[in-house]
Amino acid sequence: MTTAESAGTQESTVDTLVSIQDLKVHFPIKRGVVLDRTVGYVYAVDGVTLEVKRGETYGLVGESGCGKTTLGRGLLRLVEPTSGHAWFEDVDLATLKGERLRKMRRRMQMVFQDPLSSLDPRQSVESILVEGMRAHDLDKSKESTRRRLLELLDAVGLPSTSLRKYPHEFSGGQRQRIGIARALTVEPDLIVADEPVSALDVSVQAQVINLLEDLQNEFGLTYLVIAHDLAVVRHISDRVGVMYLGGLVEEATSDALYAEPLHPYTRALLSAVPVPDPEVEDARERILLAGDLPSPANPPTGCRFHTRCPWKQEELCDTDRPELREFRPGHRVACHYAEDILAGRIQPHEVRAELVEEHGISPDMPLVGPASVTEVLE
Amino acid sequence: MALLEVRDLSVVFQRKGEKPFTAVDGVSFDVDPGQTVGLVGESGCGKSVTSLAIMGLLPRRGNRVGGTATFEGTNLLSLSDNQMRERRGRDLGMVFQDPLSSLNPVISIGLQVTEVLQRHRGMKGDAAKRKAAELLDKVGIPDPTRRLSEYPHQLSGGMRQRALIAIALACAPRLLIADEPTTALDVTIQAQILSLLKELVTDTGTALVMITHDLGVVAGLCDEVNVLYGGKIVERAERHALFNHARHPYTHGLLGSIPRLDAPKGEKLVPIKGSVSDNIPWDNGCAFAPRCPNAIDDCRQTMPVLETDGPGQLRCHNPVELADAVREGAR
């Protein structure tokens, strides 16, 4: 997929569709039945700033628990952001309410990971597709609606006989096509696709990826694709943001990110992806990260990656959280030592795996952050 | 003689009032000591059922298992449940995809590891505990003595998978079957587990049967690869040969469908058309024929057989030409 703009002209002329500013989504951890004390927070998304330009595909990658899904849902207001802004053109979605929010939702749709659980098993495909149109008054006449539905089915590659069928009569790939068609019924500008292909078999996955690309060209859609599979994200995205523990650690065009990853986490991630080529696999040097992702309820101080980082330094890393800064035009990175690592002045060292508590929070743990949810929401 | 010789293995599911379904259909392969053999295919191709049948883990009721699986001269499929129980855990180890549902949630990790040692090695008390801690340490679990008293829910996904590998390796089995051991894990954790498995195979000489849908995993790990489709092996080759010039249109199609991290950008994926539901029964020809770009009339009339093809084996009437295959593979 190509953006209309070439890399060189990324000035203010470029049309920004979505602009997320310092978005935070914190989930309270509750204890107790009667008193319902809040004993801490899961810092699912903790200050993310990014922009999605009109017509491009922005890929968001990261491992499970890094907050990529929550960011997508927070943007669409499917979960309430704790603080921050999410601008859609010139409307701040984070403060929108009621009818205005509902109207805005026509312009931003979501495609979910599991097509079976996101489609109502008791609704026929026709009814699933018409529902959204009806909600947004696009269902003008029987004749035009029918024409529109057939057009859409054709666009996503399903036979016109599908309308009377139910979700269970389709295969996984076909169900995902229905999910995509449903998102398209209301003529959205933005589609947030949360792991659109990860539940599918490889051969079917390629069909859906190609379909998403074709639809983008046909309808001029903007995509925010959330996925854990780096190869898929690189394939379909124009720009990629890498998330780690609630924050963006690197952002670049997908070519630049692959050619020259700057953040140690991105490097490790790229080196860990298996490539279906024995020669490449044999020759590759892997950066094996020690241990697991720390708990987002108790994120490490300073740079959140410092507990696993092979390039960790004595200073700054464990005390100051690095800002996502512009390393070169269009390439942002959140690492204190990006220059030194790139130049090879810092060499990686062995990291011992530290204990990671899966259920990180215990009642006797000292609390950080605000004492109640209401305080945060003010 | 090979360590494990699977010959003409078939598994038929029979349900009351339903047509019998052949999940595995005449699968044969060998595993040598210290060798890593891959079984690759998409969901429903019969790769997991093959492993369960070899391990004797399929319920007897409603399944008909045919053929032989000879492990060091004994046909595993003819053993009684009790005899098989003696073998499993001692000679044969298995690692499953989902570690949380394969570990007992109400028994501590320590007990689950020592159980194997007590059962098969007759180790007791402190000795078993020490050995268990040693095993957990070997698979890279930090602070193993403390972990012994913890329960599966207290461990992360990667740690659980390590614990499961520790249990499978407790008695130094000569054959380890790993069924999608990294599918539920993140890439960085997957890389850890794969390097662990690789290390164990080199260090102990354990033979490994790796079952996966991920061709990338196979490329880095397996010596020999069997590609399954519709319950039959359609192509078998040494990994370099397979990835450089896949001959079966299905293997070829799979390789074309995967977005590669190192491929030039902007290249379109070449998916396989249709889905597994389009398959025709093997009796009438090639199951893959309706989805195959190379299909000829023969493919819908006679069943292709697995024949020697260069160094590997192939089940196809009209394979991808070697010249084309090489060009595609080298892109």
Side-chain angles (χ1 to χ4, degrees), chain A residues 94-151:
Chain A
T95 57
L96 222 51
K97 275 197 190 115
E99 188 60 13
R100 288 190 60 210
L101 176 63
R102 194 184 75 82
K103 286 247 166 68
M104 277 309 283
R105 286 227 161 104
R106 183 191 69 73
R107 306 187 54 193
M108 36 190 209
Q109 288 289 311
M110 189 147 184
V111 173
F112 297 91
Q113 169 172 8
D114 180 358
L116 189 55
S117 65
S118 57
L119 298 173
D120 184 345
R122 299 193 196 195
Q123 270 183 294
S124 67
V125 171
E126 179 165 12
S127 142
I128 289 172
L129 295 181
V130 169
E131 198 173 25
M133 296 174 73
R134 217 160 261 163
H136 292 289
D137 291 329
L138 297 167
D139 179 27
K140 293 274 170 11
S141 73
K142 236 180 170 170
E143 198 43 42
S144 65
T145 306
R146 181 149 187 93
R147 231 188 358 259
R148 169 97 181 120
L149 291 188
L150 291 178
E151 259 174 45

Side-chain angles (χ1 to χ4, degrees), chain B residues 127-185:
Chain B
K129 246 188 199 154
R130 261 200 309 281
K131 178 72 186 164
E134 206 176 283
L135 281 164
L136 290 190
D137 189 46
K138 196 164 133 201
V139 296
I141 295 182
D143 201 356
T145 5
R146 203 188 109 194
R147 290 292 174 188
L148 285 178
S149 57
E150 290 192 349
Y151 291 84
H153 74 270
Q154 290 169 296
L155 302 182
S156 67
M159 287 300 153
R160 279 179 213 141
Q161 196 59 281
R162 284 167 195 269
L164 208 59
I165 293 176
I167 294 172
L169 292 175
C171 295
R174 269 156 298 168
L175 177 71
L176 181 67
I177 300 183
D179 187 358
E180 304 263 15
T182 58
T183 308
L185 307 173

Side-chain angles (χ1 to χ4, degrees), chain B residues 74-132:
Chain B
T74 325
N75 180 10
L76 296 176
L77 301 184
S78 67
L79 295 181
S80 71
D81 280 354
N82 273 334
Q83 288 167 316
M84 199 59 206
R85 206 168 292 138
E86 278 303 311
R87 293 275 176 154
R88 271 196 305 260
R90 200 185 66 203
D91 299 332
L92 309 160
M94 183 139 183
V95 179
F96 296 91
Q97 171 173 357
D98 180 4
L100 191 55
S101 62
S102 333
L103 290 167
N104 190 333
V106 294
I107 295 179
S108 69
I109 298 289
L111 204 58
Q112 298 193 51
V113 181
T114 45
E115 187 185 14
V116 194
L117 297 168
Q118 288 168 353
R119 177 90 173 72
H120 293 296
R121 285 224 187 145
M123 286 174 130
K124 291 218 171 62
D126 273 353
K129 246 188 199 154
R130 261 200 309 281
K131 178 72 186 164

Side-chain angles (χ1 to χ4, degrees), chain A residues 346-368:
Chain A
I346 301 177
Q347 289 305 317
H349 49 75
E350 180 112 350
V351 183
R352 259 311 271 180
E354 280 178 41
L355 279 182
V356 173
E357 303 296 332
E358 175 75 337
H359 298 274
I361 197 137
S362 59
D364 49 86
M365 210 172 66
L367 289 185
V368 281

Side-chain angles (χ1 to χ4, degrees), chain A residues 1 62-65 171 174 201-207 209-211 213-214 228 230-238 254-255 258 265 268-282 284 286-293 308 352-359, chain B residues 41-43 137 140 142-143 146-147 150 153-160 186-192 194-195 198 213-217 219-220 239-240 243-244 250 254-277 291 329:
Chain A
M1 261 170 263
E63 297 179 285
S64 45
S171 68
Q174 288 175 318
D201 266 324
V202 185
S203 63
V204 181
Q205 180 177 319
Q207 295 171 0
I209 291 175
N210 282 354
L211 172 69
E213 293 183 346
D214 294 342
H228 70 282
L230 268 130
V232 168
V233 166
R234 176 181 130 81
H235 183 86
I236 62 177
S237 307
D238 300 306
S254 68
D255 283 331
Y258 177 73
Y265 178 62
L269 209 55
L270 285 171
S271 84
V273 179
V275 172
D277 186 336
E279 266 102 64
V280 177
E281 282 292 309
D282 291 349
R284 250 166 137 193
R286 284 234 151 80
I287 304 168
L288 280 186
L289 290 181
D292 295 299
L293 198 72
R308 299 168 79 194
R352 259 311 271 180
E354 280 178 41
L355 279 182
V356 173
E357 303 296 332
E358 175 75 337
H359 298 274
Chain B
E42 297 179 285
S43 38
D137 189 46
D143 201 356
R146 203 188 109 194
R147 290 292 174 188
E150 290 192 349
H153 74 270
Q154 290 169 296
L155 302 182
S156 67
M159 287 300 153
R160 279 179 213 141
D186 280 317
V187 271
T188 54
I189 311 293
Q190 165 170 296
Q192 294 171 1
L194 289 179
S195 83
K198 221 187 241 176
H213 70 282
D214 190 337
L215 283 164
V217 169
R239 68 177 167 133
H240 290 275
F243 285 95
N244 288 338
Y250 176 62
L254 274 186
L255 287 170
S257 310
I258 316 173
R260 281 178 60 160
L261 210 51
D262 59 346
K265 198 163 155 56
E267 218 170 88
K268 267 247 171 200
L269 298 177
V270 192
I272 302 173
K273 63 179 180 192
S275 66
V276 187
S277 53
R291 305 177 68 189

Side-chain angles (χ1 to χ4, degrees), chain A residues 13-313:
Chain A
T13 50
V14 177
D15 193 0
T16 302
L17 183 68
V18 174
S19 166
I20 298 175
Q21 269 172 21
D22 201 27
L23 194 77
K24 292 183 182 172
V25 183
H26 298 169
F27 296 113
I29 302 168
K30 304 270 193 174
R31 279 285 150 79
V33 183
V34 183
L35 288 171
D36 213 15
R37 282 181 309 141
T38 300
V39 294
Y41 289 89
V42 172
Y43 299 90
V45 176
D46 204 16
V48 169
T49 302
L50 62 86
E51 283 187 355
V52 182
K53 302 190 179 70
R54 193 182 294 276
E56 80 168 346
T57 303
Y58 190 98
L60 211 50
V61 277
E63 297 179 285
S64 45
C66 72
K68 55 190 191 301
T69 296
T70 309
L71 179 62
R73 298 179 74 101
L75 166 67
L76 299 185
R77 286 282 296 277
L78 296 174
V79 294
E80 285 302 311
T82 310
S83 68
H85 301 280
W87 301 88
F88 188 91
E89 287 179 341
D90 48 3
V91 187
D92 187 357
L93 296 173
T95 57
L96 222 51
K97 275 197 190 115
E99 188 60 13
R100 288 190 60 210
L101 176 63
R102 194 184 75 82
K103 286 247 166 68
M104 277 309 283
R105 286 227 161 104
R106 183 191 69 73
R107 306 187 54 193
M108 36 190 209
Q109 288 289 311
M110 189 147 184
V111 173
F112 297 91
Q113 169 172 8
D114 180 358
L116 189 55
S117 65
S118 57
L119 298 173
D120 184 345
R122 299 193 196 195
Q123 270 183 294
S124 67
V125 171
E126 179 165 12
S127 142
I128 289 172
L129 295 181
V130 169
E131 198 173 25
M133 296 174 73
R134 217 160 261 163
H136 292 289
D137 291 329
L138 297 167
D139 179 27
K140 293 274 170 11
S141 73
K142 236 180 170 170
E143 198 43 42
S144 65
T145 306
R146 181 149 187 93
R147 231 188 358 259
R148 169 97 181 120
L149 291 188
L150 291 178
E151 259 174 45
L152 278 171
L153 284 183
D154 186 52
V156 299
L158 287 172
S160 54
T161 50
S162 310
L163 284 180
R164 286 162 186 272
K165 292 189 180 171
Y166 289 83
H168 74 266
E169 295 176 69
F170 296 92
S171 68
Q174 288 175 318
R175 278 182 209 135
Q176 196 57 288
R177 287 169 196 267
I178 299 172
I180 294 170
R182 173 177 63 183
L184 291 174
T185 52
V186 293
E187 297 162 35
D189 299 281
L190 171 74
I191 288 189
V192 175
D194 188 2
E195 301 274 11
V197 296
S198 60
L200 307 175
D201 266 324
V202 185
S203 63
V204 181
Q205 180 177 319
Q207 295 171 0
V208 174
I209 291 175
N210 282 354
L211 172 69
L212 285 172
E213 293 183 346
D214 294 342
L215 292 173
Q216 182 169 47
N217 294 336
E218 201 176 328
F219 299 110
L221 297 167
T222 305
Y223 288 142
L224 178 64
V225 176
I226 299 164
H228 70 282
D229 188 329
L230 268 130
V232 168
V233 166
R234 176 181 130 81
H235 183 86
I236 62 177
S237 307
D238 300 306
R239 288 193 303 139
V240 178
V242 183
M243 280 187 80
Y244 185 80
L245 268 189
L248 215 51
V249 295
E250 187 163 1
E251 182 192 66
T253 63
S254 68
D255 283 331
L257 191 80
Y258 177 73
E260 199 169 69
L262 295 174
H263 198 279
Y265 178 62
T266 317
R267 287 180 169 224
L269 209 55
L270 285 171
S271 84
V273 179
V275 172
D277 186 336
E279 266 102 64
V280 177
E281 282 292 309
D282 291 349
R284 250 166 137 193
E285 241 179 77
R286 284 234 151 80
I287 304 168
L288 280 186
L289 290 181
D292 295 299
L293 198 72
S295 164
N298 185 19
T301 55
C303 174
R304 304 215 152 156
F305 187 56
H306 84 258
T307 51
R308 299 168 79 194
C309 182
W311 282 274
K312 183 196 165 235
Q313 297 300 302

